[in-house]
Amino acid sequence: MMYISKNKESESVSAKEFLLSIIGNAPYGIISIDLYGNITIINQQALTLLGKKEKPGEVINRKIIEFLKECPELGKNIVECLKRGRKPFDILETKVDHQYLSFRGRIILDGLIIVIEDVTNFVKSKNKIKEQVEKLEALDILKSQFLTITSHELKTPLTPIKAQTELLLGEERGKITEEQRISLDMVLRNIKRLDILLSDILDIARMKAGKLKLEMKKENLSDCIKEIITNTKLLAERKKITIETRMAELPKFVFDAGRIKQVLHNLLDNAIKFTGINGKIMIEAKKQKNEVLVQVKDTGIGISKNDAKTLFKEFGQLDTSLKRKQSGAGLGLFICKMIVEQHGGKIWVESKLGKGSTFYFTLPLKSGRGGIG
Ligand SMILES: Nc1ncnc2c1ncn2[C@@H]1O[C@H](COP(=O)(O)OP(=O)(O)O)[C@@H](O)[C@H]1O
Ligand SMILES: [Mg+2]
């Protein structure tokens, strides 16, 4: 806003000159029009951007609509703006010749000011980024399809391999020696590991495609926790890790027990994996307001604040070096997040490097989501 004193005529003249000099030297094209749509001020930059051959003096008093007839969209906005008053407009990316221009119109006391800017580079970079994103999305779909097909094909022969190994271990094909049992146990363990990995990949493909159906039933969460502790007991005992629980009286509530056990299993498996000999793990579950909060706390290696952001992403293994001690593909927490979120809950971690980690997740007591199927 400019203020010109009424009494000081000379100051008013110099203020006008000052204003014209600013407009003349502005890095943008500027056009001012009166309430009847006549051009009152225009700078050379505006004419250059619009590709006009005329000089500013030759354009003054001409009708803006006729002057900018190659930009009908802009003309419509100007008419609207003048009719309705006070309604500014921002039109980005109007193509004039080979460049993209942005027009911003603002009502002033006795007319309208239009600021014109060359946004060609901005639009081109934006289009390039959009193109790249589309390419990456297409590649991501291709990757998922490849993983799905490959996992299916690998899983199919795994079923008879597993069955035959179990037959041998059960001595249905004849007696086996202790050494043979040790070998077959190892074969079976690795078949199971491969089977879980393939199932994880298939789960992710299903979740990404929105095809994961939850089997929502009234279940007992404490029973699920107890079952998972029993399943991971051997792993913990091998590292002399004690697992304690603190479970408040929980009401039965609706969730997919199979999938929540998958979440609990991964959290507990991780806690055991990333905790040293003689460590401690505490599992707590309690009701708070209208949800249940589950915590899995360990005294393990911990996670830095920065790393905590990548954990829940696909292939979110923190140690990706070939020498890393712990196996796993880094899919577990990503799957946990998808399952918990599909239940309408949240999952997060609090941790300090070297001081252990606590993973939390919540499940709503009244789930409106998930879909029964
Ligand atoms: N309790 C934990 N303590 C320390 N680091 C953890 C813990 N749980 C998970 N992590 C880190 O998060 C990564 C991702 O975990 P997850 O998705 O389950 O994959 P995976 O178990 O296959 O490595 C792990 O590789 C590890 O670096
Ligand atoms: Mg894991």
Side-chain angles (χ1 to χ4, degrees):
M1 190 56 143
M2 203 174 55
Y3 178 75
I4 302 170
S5 155
K6 273 185 191 161
N7 307 330
K8 299 182 178 173
E9 202 64 27
S10 62
E11 259 184 38
S12 149
V13 170
S14 72
K16 199 169 173 189
E17 271 170 11
F18 179 62
L19 178 67
L20 286 174
S21 141
I22 290 178
I23 292 175
N25 291 299
Y28 309 114
I30 295 176
I31 307 176
S32 152
I33 52 179
D34 64 17
L35 290 171
Y36 307 100
N38 302 316
I39 298 173
T40 52
I41 301 173
I42 186 163
N43 63 4
Q44 182 56 51
Q45 293 85 310
L47 291 164
T48 312
L49 284 171
L50 293 164
K52 303 280 185 187
K53 297 277 180 301
E54 297 100 318
K55 291 274 157 253
E58 299 160 20
V59 179
I60 299 294
N61 288 331
R62 275 178 58 187
K63 287 262 177 250
I64 186 84
I65 304 293
E66 180 248 343
F67 179 64
L68 289 176
K69 58 174 174 286
E70 58 274 46
C71 313
E73 175 70 10
L74 179 64
K76 248 192 334 203
N77 271 280
I78 293 173
V79 172
E80 276 285 291
C81 198
L82 286 174
K83 244 200 276 177
R84 300 233 178 114
R86 307 246 156 252
K87 197 178 159 230
F89 62 82
D90 281 293
I91 315 170
L92 267 179
E93 303 171 28
T94 301
K95 204 163 182 192
V96 181
D97 277 344
H98 294 293
Q99 57 188 354
Y100 288 93
L101 300 181
S102 102
F103 296 89
R104 269 169 296 158
R106 294 288 179 273
I107 285 283
I108 51 167
L109 267 185
D110 49 359
L112 177 70
I113 290 252
I114 302 167
V115 177
I116 311 169
E117 203 179 337
D118 184 348
V119 287
T120 312
N121 286 339
F122 168 73
V123 174
K124 279 191 179 156
S125 327
K126 212 172 80 175
N127 289 345
K128 222 179 211 160
I129 291 171
K130 205 173 135 204
E131 229 171 73
Q132 298 284 0
V133 169
E134 277 166 4
K135 258 189 208 158
L136 287 173
E137 278 170 354
L139 276 175
D140 192 44
I141 292 173
L142 209 63
K143 178 206 76 181
S144 294
Q145 283 171 345
F146 169 74
L147 282 175
T148 310
I149 294 168
T150 318
S151 308
H152 257 299
E153 290 304 308
L154 288 172
K155 225 173 147 56
T156 314
L158 216 52
T159 312
I161 294 175
K162 191 171 161 223
Q164 291 300 322
T165 312
E166 278 166 347
L167 276 181
L168 290 173
L169 267 169
E171 300 195 319
E172 311 246 348
R173 296 280 188 262
K175 269 214 155 315
I176 55 170
T177 65
E178 200 44 38
E179 276 175 336
Q180 284 166 338
R181 179 174 300 280
I182 292 170
S183 295
L184 286 170
D185 268 334
M186 194 198 278
V187 171
L188 191 62
R189 242 192 344 266
N190 282 287
I191 291 171
K192 283 182 181 163
R193 216 174 104 192
L194 193 54
D195 197 32
I196 289 172
L197 174 65
L198 296 172
S199 299
D200 281 355
I201 294 173
L202 287 170
D203 272 352
I204 287 183
R206 251 181 245 132
M207 288 172 191
K208 278 190 165 176
K211 284 186 190 149
L212 182 83
K213 293 246 167 73
L214 295 180
E215 288 195 26
M216 303 293 275
K217 279 195 214 122
K218 218 168 194 179
E219 307 274 4
N220 185 328
L221 185 65
S222 307
D223 287 350
C224 294
I225 296 176
K226 280 179 208 149
E227 187 183 324
I228 297 306
I229 293 176
T230 310
N231 289 351
T232 47
K233 215 174 179 156
L234 257 177
L235 282 177
E237 275 171 6
R238 247 182 247 154
K239 292 175 86 176
K240 295 197 172 60
I241 292 172
T242 49
I243 301 177
E244 284 174 29
T245 54
R246 204 180 288 158
M247 280 186 281
E249 271 293 304
L250 289 177
K252 271 190 154 194
F253 66 104
V254 175
F255 61 92
D256 182 330
R259 290 295 176 183
I260 293 304
K261 277 192 253 178
Q262 196 179 346
V263 172
L264 288 163
H265 186 274
N266 189 45
L267 294 183
L268 198 53
D269 180 62
N270 282 348
I272 298 169
K273 228 166 38 172
F274 299 104
T275 297
I277 308 275
N278 293 325
K280 258 190 189 162
I281 295 169
M282 163 71 87
I283 305 178
E284 240 184 291
K286 62 181 175 202
K287 177 178 175 274
Q288 53 176 34
K289 285 186 198 153
N290 46 5
E291 62 185 17
V292 169
L293 174 72
V294 182
Q295 310 182 25
V296 181
K297 187 176 180 174
D298 65 53
T299 55
I301 59 170
I303 301 151
S304 74
K305 226 181 191 147
N306 218 17
D307 287 341
K309 287 180 206 149
T310 54
L311 287 188
F312 295 98
K313 290 188 180 146
E314 206 176 348
F315 302 108
Q317 273 244 345
L318 298 181
D319 185 359
T320 47
S321 68
L322 288 174
K323 293 179 288 176
R324 70 191 162 95
K325 291 192 203 106
Q326 302 302 343
S327 61
L331 298 175
L333 288 176
F334 180 69
I335 294 175
C336 290
K337 186 170 168 0
M338 291 227 181
I339 294 174
V340 170
E341 285 179 354
Q342 202 170 332
H343 275 82
K346 278 192 192 125
I347 185 165
W348 70 99
V349 62
E350 278 170 17
S351 179
K352 249 194 188 150
L353 210 54
K355 292 261 159 68
S357 325
T358 309
F359 282 81
Y360 300 84
F361 73 90
T362 61
L363 290 174
L365 281 170
K366 272 195 186 125
S367 170
R369 287 211 245 164
I372 300 166

